[in-house]
Amino acid sequence: MSSHAATAEIDHHHDPTTSTGIPNKKLLMWAFLASDCMFFGVLISTHLIYRLHPPAGGLDPKAIFSPELTSFSTFILLMSSLMMALAVTAIQKGNIKSCRWSLLTTIFFGMIFLGCQVYEFEHFVHDKKMTLSNSLLGTTFYTLTGTHGCHVAIGVLWLALMYVRSFKPGPGSAQRSWFSGQIFHAATLIVMLLLALKVTLGLVHAIQVQPTLGGAMGLFMKEQFLWIGAMLLSLWGCVWFARPRGPVHFGVANAIDVESMGLYWHFVDIVWIVIFTAVYLLEYL
Amino acid sequence: MDASANTAHLIKEEQVPAAPKFLAHPTAKTGLMGWLTTVDHKKIGVLYGFFALIFFLIGGFEALLIRTQLMVPNNDVLTAQQYNTLFTMHGTTMIFLAVMPLSSAFFNFIMPLQIGARDVAFPRLNAFSLWTFVAGAIILNIGWFLPADKYGAPDGSWVGYPPITSKTYNPKHAIDFWIMGLQLLGVASIAASLNFIVTIINMRAPGMTMMRLPVFVWMTLVTSFLVILSFPAITIALVQLMMDRNFGTAFFEVSGGGMPILWQHLFWVFGHPEVYILILPAMGIISEILPTFSRKPLFGYPIVVFSGACIGFLGFAVWSHHMFTTGMGTVATAAFALATMAIAVPTGVKIFNWIGTLWGGHLMMRTPMLFALGFVWMFMMGGLSGIMHSAAPADAQQHDSYFVVAHFHYVLIGGSIFALLAGLHYWFPLMFGRKVSEGWGRLSFWTIFVGFNVTFFPMHFLGLNGMPRRTFTYDPNLGWNTANFIATMGAYLLGIGMFIYFAVLAYTYFKGEKVGRDYWDGRTLEWSLQNPPPEYNFAAIPNVHARDAWWYEKHNRAEIERERTAQAKAEEAHGGIHMPFGSIWPFVASMGLLVVAIGVTCFDSNPAPGIHAKLGLSLIGGVITFLGIYFWSLEGNEGYHLHLDKDGKPVEDHGHGH
Amino acid sequence: MSSPAHSPAHGGHDHGHDESKFQIYVQIAMLLAVITGIEIVAVYLPFAKWILVTSLVVLSAVKFLFVIFYFMHLRWDKPFCTILFFIGLVIAGGTAWALIALFQAEASLPLPT
């Protein structure tokens, strides 16, 4: 824990200040993930137990699930995992720009996944009439995938904050205070992501409602005009906050934090691998 | 600085942009702020102990009310509703608010000292665990202070089986308090256990290999694994119950296709490892005390450690022995019965090793030793009744009878409590620099011992004669009168014994006889420190050469002296002793969780103030928690450095911290 | 604790193959995508149910293992990280298996209505 370690070379595979050589934060995250295995294990068990003997006349997943959508979101999450791994290797080499882009793409893919899930839930509730409380399938399905979705959302939030953190001014920077700056940057980014989600879902809705592309675009523009404007504004804000402003207080020493976050994100991905098979695919047999 | 001035040319190379004042590190070491911002594992341990002892007395008082009601047949001291609330709160309080935090007090205070560390791996996370525990304790007990018709204290028993805890049969908020209280306690416990795992694995002093760790540290490690792996099960079960109560889901609701038995399974998947969480720390304490007071090393150290790990692992495979009478089928029942019998083996092995430790030793019959010997005998008796339960056919009669009550009180009081009381006496000189008077200590022990046995031994017979648990009256013609009366008398005696014990402890804290270092001539590293230990624990991190590290040091003083001086020089060259700053943010984050819990539990969704108050307050609490965590991360963890002068007194150096 | 923005890394034990690490990650991502594709197609193939279930489970396990050993770096980290995670995984998996088995027992089946 001595401050001199930061100026020495950082070996990302061995921390000499600990008894095992594993950095404390990494060990903490692995222990937490072991605990989270049990957490999701119990949720998945609940769902599978109730699928063993479905009530007669209950909802049939085959009539409700959309394998195309789910496959797409599975693929998206896998790609986000790739981006996360690249973000970690980038910062371990001190390549901040590459790390930032990888973080942004991870966030981007994560948001697409969440968007697919929001769309899926809305579709199931409004069109397939499956709600949280009107069926056992709805109860266990929404609870399980919803909890997973919450984990993804927390991950996206963490990624966004880590991205903003990478702009903390370092010595020699002209900035005097970063406190309010980071709050605004983070808020703008999060608002932009939420607006992008809303706008995209609006676009999808418009395409589904209107048979022609022209008609759909027209409907989309009409309904979402203000939201699109706000999204573009916040997007511009994010670009503005990300302009280069001198050296930053973010580098190889922060790789452990990005790595810990990466472990969490990959774990969320492997839970989805299990859920995709156990909840979706097995129903089609 | 004037914001309009262009000072770019004045900025020194090393200057970083300023952080707002409210992010400055708190420096108070005393007073209220000192306690709220402490990250010192010793102070946090004392706080856990303080709260645990208060709740232990409350839980004991609840028990005395129960026993008063059962003193004579068809008594009317309590109504049935009050009785249900009391046995629920007695169980929940004793398990989650007394025994677990008291164990935590020792994990926090003693474990880092025993491994030669300066603190735990994540000091602020440690503080967060403590304050979240306090928040959970508040939520669990808040019902006492609110009107009983709509709120009230939880009354669904400590196991909370639906449909008794469903909205249909329990529409009051009492059960919501129970659910959210346990959720907060779960968060606190998991966070603390993650911290302890990383600390024990990663922050041992040089030379402290895993097989040189004191057994108490091993038991801390195994218990921590049990916590992180078992609490998720109850977390999910409680979420599901909450959803059934508030969102109309059918996890355990038969009318919706749900199965109440699922709750039982999920609860006991947690509940069984939980009882090992309650007993393993106690076993660890006993494994420290017996060697010290027998003047001999622990007999069979590797097998004691291995047995502890086995108990932990097997503890996940036996949960349905709490459900033998639910009709799981022959195969399942037999499988769990076998596993339960198997788990008795490592437990028995430990008992034999403790006896082996005593054998041929020079026994010093001080108060901690009396409690420890009491533990060995009483826990064994509880274990024997436990083995009787493991035979499923016999359990068919014993289940839900007073035989079970006798069993678990023997293992929990005769086991856990005796060990924790032993630990309090044992480590009191280290923690507070004073020793408890032997005479009063013995008196409290014997009163407790006799009172405890008089209370619970008759319950074996009550159970075998068919008296059911959780019933507030019994008819006079069932043959249970005498035993119940005796048990109640025993309970009062036990209460007197506990009162004496705690009164003496409190007196000793203020006015007890002061004692010097290493009062008991101990074997492990915590005894190498002055009483109470300085904030930085060790002046120089020790180099460990053998098991019972302090014993080795005492018998190799010259070698140790040389090592110590060299180590102190090395640490000084590195910048001094590195200490963490205190922080208010863990407290803020915990209080945010408290607000969330109040929002979730106190308001109805439907009639006014309605869903808006519920959501609104929960959201506000969520924001507070988020901000607490955010500023916690902004604070950084650089810490500050201490330098010791030649008398060992610290001289602070704030040069590097900001 | 300052580190200038673009300092090249001096990771002492840099395996010397950063380029191939990037390639490994991309290759594995492609592999995972391909396996996912196979899984999706598999459910529509006319094989016996037990074959399909086994294949799906195996394919998922393969994806799972690739992510934990490569993306999560367990292959190159100290073994204790792997042990720690597998403790949780084994206990969670064992509990899940036992729970599902319990509810499939004859005695646990819902009564015919």
Side-chain angles (χ1 to χ4, degrees), chain C residues 15-29:
Chain C
H15 342 278
H17 39 258
D18 304 323
E19 291 309 322
S20 61
K21 194 93 157 279
F22 175 88
Q23 282 178 352
I24 290 175
Y25 285 161
V26 173
Q27 283 167 356
I28 289 177

Side-chain angles (χ1 to χ4, degrees), chain B residues 415-436:
Chain B
S416 299
I417 293 292
F418 271 32
L420 292 166
L421 297 182
L424 274 174
H425 265 261
Y426 178 56
W427 278 307
F428 208 87
L430 174 70
M431 297 194 282
F432 304 112
R434 299 175 192 265
K435 86 163 188 75
V436 184

